[in-house]
Amino acid sequence: MTTISRALSDHHSIGPATKQKVLKLAKKLNYQPNHLAAALRKGKSKLLGVVVPYIEGRFFPSVVHGIESAASKAGYSVIICQSNEDVAHERKNIETLLSAQVAGILVSLSRTTLDFKHFDKVRKRGIPLVFFDRTMEGDNVNAVVLNDRDGGFQSTKHLLQQGCTRIAHFAGLQHLNIYKNRRQGYLDALQLYGLPHDEELIVYCDMTLEEGMAGMRRLLELPNPPDAVFSAGDSSLLGALQLLKQRNIRVPQDVALAGFSNEGFTAITEPMLTSVDQRCEEMGQAAVRLFLELVEAKGSTFSHRQVVLQPELFIRDSSLHQNK
Amino acid sequence: MTTISRALSDHHSIGPATKQKVLKLAKKLNYQPNHLAAALRKGKSKLLGVVVPYIEGRFFPSVVHGIESAASKAGYSVIICQSNEDVAHERKNIETLLSAQVAGILVSLSRTTLDFKHFDKVRKRGIPLVFFDRTMEGDNVNAVVLNDRDGGFQSTKHLLQQGCTRIAHFAGLQHLNIYKNRRQGYLDALQLYGLPHDEELIVYCDMTLEEGMAGMRRLLELPNPPDAVFSAGDSSLLGALQLLKQRNIRVPQDVALAGFSNEGFTAITEPMLTSVDQRCEEMGQAAVRLFLELVEAKGSTFSHRQVVLQPELFIRDSSLHQNK
DNA sequence: TTGTAAGCGTTATCAC
DNA sequence: GTGATAACGCTTACAA
């Protein structure tokens, strides 16, 4: 038995002849290793758990794609769970993954997660935990995030450079780091250009098409409406575009637009939409890389680590004020 | 030990008092069940393997979403693998899933899969195998598919009803059931209207934007160009639309367009694109349901079964010949 | 109703 | 370099 095991797992202390014989017979008998048994014995599986709020749109599918590719290269299989933007569900997902004896867990928080106790158990068990995109605040977490603040900054600065002077912002839920930071970047840019922080111009809403339309409608009713909108999401920006078109307000001449996520449709609308790319695939890969580092460093005094990816602004017609 | 096991798994023959005591202590001690050990002992895990060609666009992410939801409801965790449209990779995926001792496997074939030997092992081991969308031919498979032929038929018939008389077709790889059937539906409709099968009007290409543009370009060079295009995919149709716009050819007045997949962007283009919806979520759910039936029927003489979902044509402006 | 003991397929330890 | 033995955490005959 031992010999067989050694032959199959490329162990030292085994004669090359014996090894060949074993391998040959294994193939002939159609031997199938049982990872479960190995995991049980070793106390370490080759399963990697992933929890995402949902699997739709461009972002999460792409990140998952990146995760799966990188994990698979390192010999790990990926277990996917959806929290459906619900903490209770998220808690259950974590429980499930722990029971499945995963080697590590990658999480992007649900929007209803305000309490983080369910992650204590993961840490206590010494299982590598990496957040991506939507993360817990604090230094004692491992996380891969986008520099959302810089994304908001770049985008807004670009609008300012185009000559816009009254820039509105569609802001998402402020308890989520990503939306908070995008808003902060927006404010940074305004300040750099000496413009006031005007809460009247900030619309707090969900980043959906409908709420984008509603938000734009509200902004147009202002005594002094904006000449640009920076949205923390693309769908809401699309809503704004559609409303503006309905009212025959020209984009970008009357109102310039810039969004966030670089969704596929931004290159299809007329005009095409300027947007910040989130490096989805890279984020997935980086998360796996960080996980692998944590596995390597097991037991040693590996301190927590944040990986920050640099966003890239894709400038398209919706923000180019050629005719202004 | 037995008592503990019984208490935790809601077994009969256990005193309610003992059971409560056990559960209480378990909670207090932060007991975490080990599914791996249970799976090893029982010879059956609660893991469900899924192999898809890739995780992008609208279709596969949505199907995976559906699978995950349904599986999770039935107590299964989902392991995702990508074949990257490569048989070799697909073979490896299957191997991995078998080693992980999954309870079942759901597969959508890679486009390079022409040989199916790697699935024999799955069957031989008695592991439920369900294909979805891209499936093996034959009666001895379990599969959930869309009625692609009817989708092609409906779409083409709709174009004919709009008064089109020279309808071209962007056809995908013909060894894949889905593309073969969409083409067949197209031919069915032509025949119904007494129109000839004209190979000149069929462009065999990848369903990408670029190839759609190229295909449309080729069709326009015909001595007698088409007055409509039915594409087996939406991206290639978008390519056609863009080319037509470049050349100031009106859609739908000069050339009507209809596609397949009901991608998100079909409701955003101008004009919006008519397309066939593939019921992605339902397909995922149906695949899981079929898998669960196979588990139930274990050992009994459950014959193979095909589930066919009915597509739905979403009619939008790109195909409405109001002005013809 | 409860307890005992065996075994699922591996691998780590130790002796040869 | 090879082989016997135990153990990982759980379930399930079977005995009490």
Tab-separated table of all heavy atoms in Angstrom, chain A residues 153-185:
chain	number	residue	atom	x	y	z
A	153	PHE	N	-11.390	59.526	-9.065
A	153	PHE	CA	-10.609	60.749	-9.261
A	153	PHE	C	-10.292	60.968	-10.743
A	153	PHE	O	-10.565	62.029	-11.312
A	153	PHE	CB	-9.318	60.658	-8.449
A	153	PHE	CG	-8.392	61.819	-8.634
A	153	PHE	CD1	-8.664	63.041	-8.030
A	153	PHE	CD2	-7.249	61.702	-9.418
A	153	PHE	CE1	-7.810	64.130	-8.202
A	153	PHE	CE2	-6.392	62.785	-9.601
A	153	PHE	CZ	-6.673	63.995	-8.993
A	154	GLN	N	-9.747	59.941	-11.368
A	154	GLN	CA	-9.386	60.039	-12.793
A	154	GLN	C	-10.572	60.424	-13.650
A	154	GLN	O	-10.488	61.275	-14.534
A	154	GLN	CB	-8.893	58.690	-13.303
A	154	GLN	CG	-7.444	58.374	-13.025
A	154	GLN	CD	-7.055	57.077	-13.753
A	154	GLN	OE1	-7.265	56.931	-14.958
A	154	GLN	NE2	-6.508	56.137	-12.998
A	155	SER	N	-11.663	59.754	-13.365
A	155	SER	CA	-12.858	59.950	-14.168
A	155	SER	C	-13.360	61.386	-14.034
A	155	SER	O	-13.660	62.055	-15.033
A	155	SER	CB	-13.913	58.956	-13.678
A	155	SER	OG	-14.911	58.794	-14.620
A	156	THR	N	-13.431	61.853	-12.813
A	156	THR	CA	-13.932	63.204	-12.566
A	156	THR	C	-12.957	64.247	-13.116
A	156	THR	O	-13.362	65.238	-13.725
A	156	THR	CB	-14.130	63.415	-11.051
A	156	THR	OG1	-14.892	62.331	-10.527
A	156	THR	CG2	-14.850	64.729	-10.780
A	157	LYS	N	-11.678	63.986	-12.904
A	157	LYS	CA	-10.665	64.928	-13.401
A	157	LYS	C	-10.774	65.044	-14.924
A	157	LYS	O	-10.684	66.144	-15.482
A	157	LYS	CB	-9.270	64.431	-13.013
A	157	LYS	CG	-8.176	65.456	-13.255
A	157	LYS	CD	-6.840	64.960	-12.729
A	157	LYS	CE	-5.846	64.830	-13.885
A	157	LYS	NZ	-4.678	64.044	-13.520
A	158	HIS	N	-10.983	63.918	-15.556
A	158	HIS	CA	-11.147	63.930	-17.012
A	158	HIS	C	-12.316	64.822	-17.430
A	158	HIS	O	-12.207	65.621	-18.367
A	158	HIS	CB	-11.341	62.499	-17.506
A	158	HIS	CG	-11.909	62.390	-18.880
A	158	HIS	ND1	-11.198	62.739	-20.011
A	158	HIS	CD2	-13.136	62.000	-19.316
A	158	HIS	CE1	-11.963	62.555	-21.079
A	158	HIS	NE2	-13.142	62.100	-20.682
A	159	LEU	N	-13.419	64.706	-16.709
A	159	LEU	CA	-14.588	65.544	-17.024
A	159	LEU	C	-14.254	67.019	-16.809
A	159	LEU	O	-14.657	67.887	-17.593
A	159	LEU	CB	-15.789	65.135	-16.149
A	159	LEU	CG	-16.410	63.769	-16.459
A	159	LEU	CD1	-17.417	63.361	-15.379
A	159	LEU	CD2	-17.093	63.788	-17.836
A	160	LEU	N	-13.522	67.294	-15.759
A	160	LEU	CA	-13.131	68.677	-15.473
A	160	LEU	C	-12.235	69.213	-16.590
A	160	LEU	O	-12.389	70.348	-17.047
A	160	LEU	CB	-12.392	68.732	-14.128
A	160	LEU	CG	-13.283	68.523	-12.891
A	160	LEU	CD1	-12.466	68.142	-11.673
A	160	LEU	CD2	-14.122	69.773	-12.614
A	161	GLN	N	-11.335	68.355	-17.042
A	161	GLN	CA	-10.430	68.773	-18.125
A	161	GLN	C	-11.183	69.055	-19.420
A	161	GLN	O	-10.720	69.822	-20.265
A	161	GLN	CB	-9.389	67.675	-18.379
A	161	GLN	CG	-8.329	67.598	-17.286
A	161	GLN	CD	-7.451	66.363	-17.436
A	161	GLN	OE1	-7.840	65.391	-18.086
A	161	GLN	NE2	-6.280	66.408	-16.816
A	162	GLN	N	-12.316	68.420	-19.539
A	162	GLN	CA	-13.124	68.659	-20.744
A	162	GLN	C	-13.912	69.952	-20.630
A	162	GLN	O	-14.675	70.296	-21.519
A	162	GLN	CB	-14.098	67.492	-20.965
A	162	GLN	CG	-13.439	66.153	-21.218
A	162	GLN	CD	-12.582	66.180	-22.467
A	162	GLN	OE1	-13.058	66.566	-23.534
A	162	GLN	NE2	-11.319	65.815	-22.333
A	163	GLY	N	-13.760	70.611	-19.514
A	163	GLY	CA	-14.419	71.912	-19.367
A	163	GLY	C	-15.707	71.869	-18.561
A	163	GLY	O	-16.406	72.882	-18.443
A	164	CYS	N	-16.066	70.726	-18.013
A	164	CYS	CA	-17.279	70.645	-17.207
A	164	CYS	C	-17.025	71.347	-15.868
A	164	CYS	O	-15.926	71.263	-15.305
A	164	CYS	CB	-17.657	69.191	-16.954
A	164	CYS	SG	-17.928	68.273	-18.470
A	165	THR	N	-18.042	72.003	-15.396
A	165	THR	CA	-17.864	72.764	-14.158
A	165	THR	C	-18.889	72.399	-13.097
A	165	THR	O	-18.774	72.782	-11.941
A	165	THR	CB	-17.994	74.275	-14.422
A	165	THR	OG1	-19.269	74.515	-15.038
A	165	THR	CG2	-16.892	74.762	-15.332
A	166	ARG	N	-19.929	71.699	-13.513
A	166	ARG	CA	-20.945	71.275	-12.555
A	166	ARG	C	-21.175	69.787	-12.734
A	166	ARG	O	-22.042	69.349	-13.496
A	166	ARG	CB	-22.244	72.053	-12.806
A	166	ARG	CG	-22.729	72.806	-11.559
A	166	ARG	CD	-23.978	73.585	-11.799
A	166	ARG	NE	-25.113	73.114	-11.001
A	166	ARG	CZ	-25.137	73.094	-9.689
A	166	ARG	NH1	-24.124	73.501	-8.985
A	166	ARG	NH2	-26.217	72.661	-9.049
A	167	ILE	N	-20.385	69.024	-12.005
A	167	ILE	CA	-20.391	67.577	-12.209
A	167	ILE	C	-21.190	66.875	-11.118
A	167	ILE	O	-20.884	67.008	-9.931
A	167	ILE	CB	-18.947	67.036	-12.214
A	167	ILE	CG1	-18.144	67.767	-13.312
A	167	ILE	CG2	-18.938	65.535	-12.441
A	167	ILE	CD1	-16.697	67.366	-13.369
A	168	ALA	N	-22.205	66.164	-11.536
A	168	ALA	CA	-23.017	65.408	-10.578
A	168	ALA	C	-22.415	64.014	-10.382
A	168	ALA	O	-21.545	63.592	-11.145
A	168	ALA	CB	-24.440	65.285	-11.092
A	169	HIS	N	-22.875	63.318	-9.346
A	169	HIS	CA	-22.353	61.970	-9.068
A	169	HIS	C	-23.479	61.039	-8.639
A	169	HIS	O	-24.258	61.368	-7.753
A	169	HIS	CB	-21.299	62.071	-7.955
A	169	HIS	CG	-20.748	60.739	-7.505
A	169	HIS	ND1	-20.373	59.760	-8.389
A	169	HIS	CD2	-20.490	60.238	-6.266
A	169	HIS	CE1	-19.915	58.707	-7.717
A	169	HIS	NE2	-19.989	58.970	-6.431
A	170	PHE	N	-23.561	59.887	-9.311
A	170	PHE	CA	-24.441	58.812	-8.841
A	170	PHE	C	-23.607	57.971	-7.889
A	170	PHE	O	-22.652	57.307	-8.316
A	170	PHE	CB	-24.901	57.917	-9.989
A	170	PHE	CG	-25.896	58.560	-10.920
A	170	PHE	CD1	-26.234	57.943	-12.128
A	170	PHE	CD2	-26.516	59.765	-10.618
A	170	PHE	CE1	-27.152	58.507	-12.998
A	170	PHE	CE2	-27.437	60.354	-11.488
A	170	PHE	CZ	-27.744	59.727	-12.675
A	171	ALA	N	-23.956	58.016	-6.615
A	171	ALA	CA	-23.170	57.304	-5.611
A	171	ALA	C	-23.920	56.071	-5.129
A	171	ALA	O	-25.128	56.102	-4.942
A	171	ALA	CB	-22.882	58.227	-4.441
A	172	GLY	N	-23.201	54.987	-4.918
A	172	GLY	CA	-23.837	53.752	-4.418
A	172	GLY	C	-23.911	53.743	-2.897
A	172	GLY	O	-23.634	54.746	-2.247
A	173	LEU	N	-24.276	52.595	-2.370
A	173	LEU	CA	-24.363	52.423	-0.915
A	173	LEU	C	-23.043	52.775	-0.239
A	173	LEU	O	-22.015	52.164	-0.535
A	173	LEU	CB	-24.694	50.958	-0.602
A	173	LEU	CG	-26.083	50.500	-0.995
A	173	LEU	CD1	-26.196	48.982	-0.813
A	173	LEU	CD2	-27.125	51.227	-0.162
A	174	GLN	N	-23.093	53.707	0.678
A	174	GLN	CA	-21.839	54.211	1.235
A	174	GLN	C	-21.188	53.310	2.282
A	174	GLN	O	-20.069	53.574	2.702
A	174	GLN	CB	-22.052	55.621	1.792
A	174	GLN	CG	-22.344	56.642	0.701
A	174	GLN	CD	-21.177	56.795	-0.272
A	174	GLN	OE1	-20.076	57.154	0.113
A	174	GLN	NE2	-21.415	56.468	-1.547
A	175	HIS	N	-21.877	52.267	2.713
A	175	HIS	CA	-21.178	51.369	3.638
A	175	HIS	C	-20.291	50.383	2.886
A	175	HIS	O	-19.492	49.673	3.483
A	175	HIS	CB	-22.162	50.649	4.563
A	175	HIS	CG	-23.013	49.630	3.875
A	175	HIS	ND1	-24.262	49.908	3.389
A	175	HIS	CD2	-22.772	48.330	3.574
A	175	HIS	CE1	-24.758	48.820	2.821
A	175	HIS	NE2	-23.885	47.853	2.918
A	176	LEU	N	-20.435	50.331	1.585
A	176	LEU	CA	-19.531	49.482	0.801
A	176	LEU	C	-18.300	50.290	0.422
A	176	LEU	O	-18.408	51.377	-0.145
A	176	LEU	CB	-20.237	48.963	-0.453
A	176	LEU	CG	-21.289	47.882	-0.229
A	176	LEU	CD1	-21.969	47.519	-1.538
A	176	LEU	CD2	-20.651	46.637	0.390
A	177	ASN	N	-17.140	49.735	0.744
A	177	ASN	CA	-15.887	50.437	0.470
A	177	ASN	C	-15.789	50.943	-0.966
A	177	ASN	O	-15.329	52.058	-1.205
A	177	ASN	CB	-14.709	49.503	0.774
A	177	ASN	CG	-14.761	48.205	-0.040
A	177	ASN	OD1	-15.784	47.520	-0.065
A	177	ASN	ND2	-13.672	47.868	-0.706
A	178	ILE	N	-16.229	50.142	-1.908
A	178	ILE	CA	-16.043	50.532	-3.309
A	178	ILE	C	-16.760	51.839	-3.639
A	178	ILE	O	-16.194	52.731	-4.238
A	178	ILE	CB	-16.498	49.422	-4.277
A	178	ILE	CG1	-17.910	48.938	-3.971
A	178	ILE	CG2	-15.524	48.264	-4.236
A	178	ILE	CD1	-18.455	47.953	-4.991
A	179	TYR	N	-18.012	51.943	-3.201
A	179	TYR	CA	-18.782	53.146	-3.532
A	179	TYR	C	-18.319	54.351	-2.722
A	179	TYR	O	-18.312	55.479	-3.215
A	179	TYR	CB	-20.273	52.893	-3.336
A	179	TYR	CG	-20.814	51.866	-4.300
A	179	TYR	CD1	-21.463	50.721	-3.855
A	179	TYR	CD2	-20.645	52.023	-5.673
A	179	TYR	CE1	-21.941	49.771	-4.742
A	179	TYR	CE2	-21.111	51.076	-6.574
A	179	TYR	CZ	-21.768	49.949	-6.098
A	179	TYR	OH	-22.230	49.009	-6.982
A	180	LYS	N	-17.949	54.085	-1.488
A	180	LYS	CA	-17.440	55.172	-0.650
A	180	LYS	C	-16.183	55.770	-1.286
A	180	LYS	O	-16.036	56.992	-1.382
A	180	LYS	CB	-17.109	54.609	0.741
A	180	LYS	CG	-16.886	55.667	1.787
A	180	LYS	CD	-16.675	55.040	3.158
A	180	LYS	CE	-15.289	54.460	3.256
A	180	LYS	NZ	-15.048	53.769	4.531
A	181	ASN	N	-15.321	54.880	-1.761
A	181	ASN	CA	-14.065	55.358	-2.337
A	181	ASN	C	-14.248	56.063	-3.677
A	181	ASN	O	-13.551	57.020	-3.976
A	181	ASN	CB	-13.084	54.193	-2.490
A	181	ASN	CG	-12.611	53.693	-1.137
A	181	ASN	OD1	-12.600	54.444	-0.158
A	181	ASN	ND2	-12.239	52.415	-1.068
A	182	ARG	N	-15.169	55.574	-4.463
A	182	ARG	CA	-15.403	56.233	-5.755
A	182	ARG	C	-15.894	57.651	-5.518
A	182	ARG	O	-15.495	58.594	-6.198
A	182	ARG	CB	-16.424	55.434	-6.580
A	182	ARG	CG	-15.840	54.124	-7.091
A	182	ARG	CD	-16.847	53.171	-7.728
A	182	ARG	NE	-16.278	51.820	-7.747
A	182	ARG	CZ	-16.889	50.736	-8.214
A	182	ARG	NH1	-18.119	50.825	-8.712
A	182	ARG	NH2	-16.283	49.569	-8.189
A	183	ARG	N	-16.765	57.785	-4.531
A	183	ARG	CA	-17.278	59.107	-4.193
A	183	ARG	C	-16.143	59.991	-3.684
A	183	ARG	O	-16.046	61.161	-4.025
A	183	ARG	CB	-18.358	58.965	-3.106
A	183	ARG	CG	-18.882	60.279	-2.559
A	183	ARG	CD	-20.061	60.019	-1.610
A	183	ARG	NE	-20.520	61.196	-0.911
A	183	ARG	CZ	-19.949	61.692	0.192
A	183	ARG	NH1	-18.879	61.102	0.701
A	183	ARG	NH2	-20.440	62.783	0.762
A	184	GLN	N	-15.266	59.397	-2.885
A	184	GLN	CA	-14.168	60.181	-2.340
A	184	GLN	C	-13.255	60.678	-3.454
A	184	GLN	O	-12.807	61.829	-3.445
A	184	GLN	CB	-13.380	59.327	-1.328
A	184	GLN	CG	-12.467	60.125	-0.435
A	184	GLN	CD	-13.195	61.271	0.268
A	184	GLN	OE1	-14.201	61.072	0.926
A	184	GLN	NE2	-12.700	62.502	0.093
A	185	GLY	N	-13.017	59.829	-4.429
A	185	GLY	CA	-12.180	60.226	-5.561
A	185	GLY	C	-12.821	61.367	-6.333
A	185	GLY	O	-12.134	62.302	-6.783
